[in-house]
């Protein structure tokens, strides 16, 4: 079995996607392992998960500008990642737009999860946007990170129905369960070297020919 690919996860909050990835990676046949959690929030639940699972974690002060990050913090995060020989960076509920040295270093090697079917409902409160719009289906998207917000090529999407009596909380919970599956699948495909990008399209190497 080839060596596992080293992954860093960026998370600002609860950390359930981080946990789902970390759990998937505990399986012997999973092609990736989580070597680092980076957070901008000293109170993030993700820190407790990392400590419980024995995963190295770093807290980086990303500066006061909400949603953005200072060049210094981006540089520090890049250094932490390269120091651990990270090959893929996974944003999982990281509440800042990544730019600067970290994005430059990991261009094409950074992915994100978004709780809607992109290109619909980009940005914050995607589940509420979907409810307010009145769509009958929503879901989640794992995509490569580019210089835009939720605009990079799509790797995996999973669909959930929107029900008549849904609240934002109910819909978010239904989507979140699918996020955990989608993220583990996308990382598995990437780490196994099965993805290639052709313009906007992400192609999956598919020996069975059923994709
Ligand atoms: C998820 O819904 C993710 O799609 C969004 O932020 C949320 C993070 O949740 N970007 P968690 O911290 O992974 O539990």
């Amino acid at each position: 079995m080839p060596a596992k690919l080293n992954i860093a996860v960026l998370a600002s909050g609860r950390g359930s996607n981080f946990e789902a990835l970390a759990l998937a990676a505990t399986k012997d046949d999973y092609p990736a392992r989580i070597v680092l959690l980076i957070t901008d929030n000293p109170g993030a639940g993700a820190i407790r998960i990392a400590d419980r699972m024995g995963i190295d974690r770093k807290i980086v002060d990303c500066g006061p500008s909400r949603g953005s990050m200072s060049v210094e913090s981006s540089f520090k995060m890049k250094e932490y990642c390269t120091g651990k020989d990270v090959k893929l960076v996974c944003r999982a509920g990281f509440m800042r737009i990544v730019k600067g040295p970290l994005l430059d270093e990991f261009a094409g090697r950074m992915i994100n999860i978004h709780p809607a079917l992109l290109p619909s409902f980009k940005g914050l409160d995607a589940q509420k946007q979907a409810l307010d719009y009145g769509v009958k289906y929503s879901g989640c998207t794992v995509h490569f990170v580019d210089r835009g917000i939720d605009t990079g090529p799509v790797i995996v999407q999973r669909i959930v129905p929107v029900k008549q009596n849904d609240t934002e909380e109910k819909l978010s919970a239904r989507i979140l369960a699918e996020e955990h599956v989608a993220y583990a699948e996308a990382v598995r495909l990437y780490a196994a070297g099965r993805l290639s990008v052709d313009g906007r399209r992400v192609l999956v190497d598919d020996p069975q020919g059923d994709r």
Side-chain angles (χ1 to χ4, degrees), residues 19-73:
E19 185 171 28
L21 285 177
L23 281 174
T26 58
K27 308 239 166 61
D28 286 344
D29 62 352
Y30 197 77
R33 63 175 171 192
I34 314 297
V35 295
L36 182 62
L37 167 79
I38 301 179
T39 184
D40 59 333
N41 173 15
I47 295 175
R48 289 194 296 278
I49 296 168
D51 288 347
R52 178 161 41 79
M53 298 188 76
I55 296 169
D56 190 11
R57 41 72 162 195
K58 305 282 184 208
I59 302 168
V60 177
D61 180 352
C62 289
S65 163
R66 245 181 111 231
S68 183
M69 65 195 315
S70 65
V71 176
E72 296 76 25
S73 61

Side-chain angles (χ1 to χ4, degrees), residues 11 13-18 92-95 112-115 127 176 179-180:
R14 175 178 59 188
S16 71
N17 278 288
F18 163 56
F94 188 65
M95 299 307 287
N112 181 48
I113 185 144
H114 184 72
Q127 302 93 331
L176 190 66
E179 290 185 41
H180 298 160

Side-chain angles (χ1 to χ4, degrees), residues 2-209:
K4 290 185 173 223
L5 198 80
N6 288 348
I7 310 272
V9 176
L10 316 183
S12 297
R14 175 178 59 188
S16 71
N17 278 288
F18 163 56
E19 185 171 28
L21 285 177
L23 281 174
T26 58
K27 308 239 166 61
D28 286 344
D29 62 352
Y30 197 77
R33 63 175 171 192
I34 314 297
V35 295
L36 182 62
L37 167 79
I38 301 179
T39 184
D40 59 333
N41 173 15
I47 295 175
R48 289 194 296 278
I49 296 168
D51 288 347
R52 178 161 41 79
M53 298 188 76
I55 296 169
D56 190 11
R57 41 72 162 195
K58 305 282 184 208
I59 302 168
V60 177
D61 180 352
C62 289
S65 163
R66 245 181 111 231
S68 183
M69 65 195 315
S70 65
V71 176
E72 296 76 25
S73 61
S74 179
F75 182 77
K76 195 177 272 182
M77 289 165 75
K78 184 205 87 169
E79 293 286 288
Y80 283 142
C81 289
T82 52
K84 287 260 180 192
D85 196 25
V86 165
K87 302 292 192 214
L88 177 71
V89 173
C90 297
R91 294 175 43 116
F94 188 65
M95 299 307 287
R96 292 176 188 259
I97 297 161
V98 176
K99 55 184 188 178
L102 180 66
L103 185 57
D104 295 343
E105 175 74 25
F106 287 94
R109 301 188 295 146
M110 187 182 299
I111 64 179
N112 181 48
I113 185 144
H114 184 72
L117 294 175
L118 292 172
S120 292
F121 313 128
K122 298 185 177 96
L124 294 175
D125 302 323
Q127 302 93 331
K128 180 169 187 307
Q129 290 185 54
L131 271 183
D132 290 350
Y133 196 91
V135 291
K136 302 297 185 194
Y137 291 90
S138 190
C140 60
T141 304
V142 183
H143 62 94
F144 283 104
V145 173
D146 62 11
R147 290 187 187 275
I149 297 175
D150 302 326
T151 50
V154 170
I155 304 169
V156 171
Q157 291 186 306
R158 290 181 71 88
I159 298 168
V160 305
V162 180
K163 301 195 176 167
Q164 303 212 108
N165 64 353
D166 264 346
T167 58
E168 194 182 338
E169 289 69 33
K170 283 188 193 168
L171 178 59
S172 298
R174 196 175 309 122
I175 292 173
L176 190 66
E178 298 304 318
E179 290 185 41
H180 298 160
V181 179
Y183 220 163
E185 168 71 356
V187 169
R188 190 175 64 76
L189 292 170
Y190 183 94
R194 294 181 57 195
L195 300 181
S196 58
V197 182
D198 177 15
R200 279 220 52 91
R201 298 179 70 206
V202 177
L203 306 176
V204 181
D205 175 45
D206 176 24
Q208 261 77 49

